[in-house]
Amino acid sequence: MRDFPPTPLIPPETPLAMPAQDFGTEFHDVKAPATGEGQPGVALWRILAFSPAMAATVALGWVMQGWFAADGTTMLEWVLLTLIAFNFFWITFTVSTVLLGLYSLSQTRPTPARGPRKPMRVALLVPVYNEVPWYVLGNARSMLEELRAISGSHQYDMFILSDTRDAEIAAQEEQSVRALRDELPEGISLYYRRREKNTARKVGNIHDWVTRWGGDYEAMLVLDADSLMTGRAIVRLTDALSRDPAAGLIQSFPQLIGAQSVFGRMQQFANGVYGLALAEGLARWTGHEGNYWGHNAIIRTRAFAACAGLPELPTLTGGTSIIMSHDFVEAGLLRRAGWRVRFLPRIRGSYEETPATLVDHIQRDRRWCQGNLQHLRILNATGFHAMSRFHLAHGAIGYLMAPVWFALLVIWAVIGHDEGASVITYFSEKNPLRPNWPDMSEPRHVAVIILIYAMLLAPKILSVAALPLTGRRISDYGGIGRFLLSMLTEILLAILYAPILMVQQMIAVLRTVFGLQKGWSPQARAGGHYSLATLFKCHALETISGVMLWIGVATGLVSLWLAPIALSLVLAVPLSALSSLRLPRRWMSTAEGLHEPRINRAARHYRGLLRKNLHGPDAPVQAVE
């Protein structure tokens, strides 16, 4: 290994105060500058987003309540009706958002400029925690090289902000940074700081940088360890912030890349094909009250320091807890102070990776569930905009939907005991152990089933119709035949994995409620390798539930309509094993998968160089778990 002189890896400090905010009082510090510009048309966009979903839900509820009311509506029927309406609203809300995106994409492209572009000094922040050093710094070098090649008016410095606890990995981080600093051309600054204690995790990591070096930078672009952004995307985000003096945060739309496994490729295909229209619709109705996803976003440093410092929350046991999913809350605090929080989905070249296996996804989802449910305790924060509260509630509801779906499943499986009591009571007095399930060929039943399935598939179909409006062509995905095969495969896999994810999200909710979710371990970027025993342990509840449902179906106690769900649950272990299998390059691949972005090729090249520097040319490539 090379010996490097112990040169300083951090610049002189320029402190910036970042006080913790009070959720019980209004924000009284320096607020965003008044520009006199409103949000023309955003009220109409919101009406068009929410009203159809509300109207469709009310209509469905009215029709179904009419069925139930024939012989008097029971308490169980009211519970069932409420659960159905709750689920149906969020399904139709997604459809209306995609429709807005489709319409928006068909219109003239919006003018990005709001004012003169002013040069800015921007810090690129890469928080890391026990990550693979050569992987992170390979991405870092590719981004810095692209920014150097553009040579625009803005100035960029990059900070690797380490919270790594493993001493060996930390030593490799420092060695990699020193090696990379020696090879970078002049005009590109790369810094490295490792905290002795990782107080408050990522929140504390960013807070430490703001309070020590934030005074020297007008903006900070926050990245994840697996983030990759083209130089053009970074410059476009910076331009957008510099032209809008009232903008406090601008979020890009990260595209998923690099997936090789069945589960990762499924997620990547959905993001790359269906996500574009949804993102465009979301940008329309959120307006200046957008959200923050924690990475690949540019933030005005002084605005963030003045109004987005996070306090600790009191716990039920009398202690305090940090805010886990900090990004939604920080966006709400910025908007509370009058700063715009915008979403620009048309900026291309913003990338991230996705968990490779079902188990890796579940582990990450449990952490996210813990953070999102915590947001319920912040909904009554003083001064928050209604849209900020909606984002907080929406994130929590996304997880609470799982036990709601599970409740619907249980009610449908065990429903009713008295003949003639209602349309959902199917047990006969002659044979009380064997229900007489309704004739689902009745037109009204068929119409409701078709409607629900249509609403579930509509976002995907509408998004495919919107692809030409995004500048993409079916040929970018390998041609019409390969595209249709990939789409059908993704839909089939989504149907198979949905019941498993429902049960796992319900488990995540229960773990959070009962305080069993502890700690946020680093993600296995390349995917973990799990034994059959581990898979059985992880998916025990799904397997048992599936077996019980099949017994119910076989004995006539459970409707045949639940057979597809029972099949998915009983196959949870083999489906989880399937999720890690490596797919051919062209199967369920996106445009970025078939035509690899130049920056990703450069990142792979630089990762290889750094890996050889650390481990030698024959070292195995694996992620740190």
Side-chain angles (χ1 to χ4, degrees), residues 154-360:
H154 306 297
Q155 180 183 344
Y156 296 94
D157 296 336
M158 179 174 282
F159 287 77
I160 306 299
L161 304 178
S162 176
D163 263 354
T164 294
R165 301 297 92 200
D166 186 296
E168 182 179 354
I169 297 175
Q172 292 177 355
E173 286 175 353
E174 182 172 343
Q175 180 180 342
S176 298
V177 169
R178 291 189 182 278
L180 184 51
R181 280 164 62 100
D182 282 355
E183 296 174 1
L184 286 174
E186 292 185 6
I188 297 181
S189 296
L190 175 65
Y191 301 110
Y192 172 79
R193 184 274 288 135
R194 181 183 175 221
R195 289 199 298 169
E196 292 185 3
K197 296 182 179 179
N198 62 331
T199 306
R201 299 188 176 92
K202 185 176 179 180
V203 171
N205 201 353
I206 299 297
H207 180 275
D208 178 80
W209 179 86
V210 170
T211 55
R212 293 176 66 185
W213 295 285
D216 234 8
Y217 296 89
E218 296 170 86
M220 56 184 187
L221 197 154
V222 181
L223 301 162
D224 258 358
D226 62 348
S227 292
L228 191 61
M229 293 186 70
T230 64
R232 185 170 183 268
I234 293 172
V235 170
R236 287 190 65 190
L237 272 182
T238 310
D239 286 347
L241 189 73
S242 70
R243 286 179 168 133
D244 186 358
L249 183 150
I250 301 178
Q251 175 71 61
S252 69
F253 177 44
Q255 298 286 130
L256 299 180
I257 59 169
Q260 303 295 329
S261 65
V262 169
F263 191 81
R265 198 71 69 77
M266 179 186 76
Q267 301 281 84
Q268 181 175 288
F269 186 84
N271 167 268
V273 177
Y274 313 138
L276 299 173
L278 181 65
E280 184 69 23
L282 180 65
R284 283 291 185 175
W285 66 255
T286 55
H288 296 163
E289 288 77 43
N291 209 355
Y292 174 35
W293 300 335
H295 57 90
N296 294 32
I298 192 166
I299 305 171
R300 198 174 299 275
T301 311
R302 292 189 179 276
F304 189 79
C307 62
L310 297 181
E312 292 190 337
L313 296 179
T315 63
L316 297 177
T317 58
T320 58
S321 171
I322 65 170
I323 296 175
M324 299 290 187
S325 292
H326 55 92
D327 38 15
F328 284 33
V329 183
E330 289 161 345
L333 288 169
L334 281 165
R335 193 66 188 114
R336 181 175 77 158
W339 294 99
R340 293 170 179 161
V341 178
R342 298 168 55 198
F343 177 35
L344 297 183
R346 297 194 188 188
I347 291 180
R348 298 288 175 83
S350 179
Y351 304 114
E352 64 171 332
E353 295 183 358
T354 187
T357 72
L358 180 60
V359 173
D360 293 319

Side-chain angles (χ1 to χ4, degrees), residues 502-560:
M502 171 193 68
V503 174
Q504 284 295 337
Q505 286 193 334
M506 184 188 69
I507 293 172
V509 170
L510 294 176
R511 285 172 62 93
T512 299
V513 170
F514 291 105
L516 301 177
Q517 180 61 36
K518 304 292 184 182
W520 287 36
S521 58
Q523 181 177 314
R525 301 289 178 191
H529 302 283
Y530 305 101
S531 66
L532 196 59
T534 300
L535 295 181
F536 270 110
K537 181 179 179 181
C538 178
H539 300 294
L541 181 58
E542 298 100 291
T543 304
I544 293 171
S545 301
V547 170
M548 292 176 64
L549 278 175
W550 272 116
I551 293 173
V553 171
T555 57
L557 294 174
V558 174
S559 169
L560 280 172

Side-chain angles (χ1 to χ4, degrees), residues 414-437:
V414 301
I415 207 165
H417 288 285
D418 300 309
E419 187 181 53
S422 73
V423 296
I424 58 169
T425 303
Y426 310 122
F427 287 84
S428 167
E429 291 181 354
K430 297 178 182 178
N431 189 358
L433 296 179
R434 190 176 185 85
N436 296 317
W437 296 104

Side-chain angles (χ1 to χ4, degrees), residues 1-16:
M1 290 187 179
R2 296 169 58 189
D3 293 324
F4 299 96
T7 53
L9 294 177
I10 55 175
E13 294 189 10
T14 52
L16 184 62

Side-chain angles (χ1 to χ4, degrees), residues 60-73:
L60 180 70
W62 180 75
V63 169
M64 296 193 71
Q65 198 277 331
W67 300 352
F68 297 162
D71 298 298
T73 308

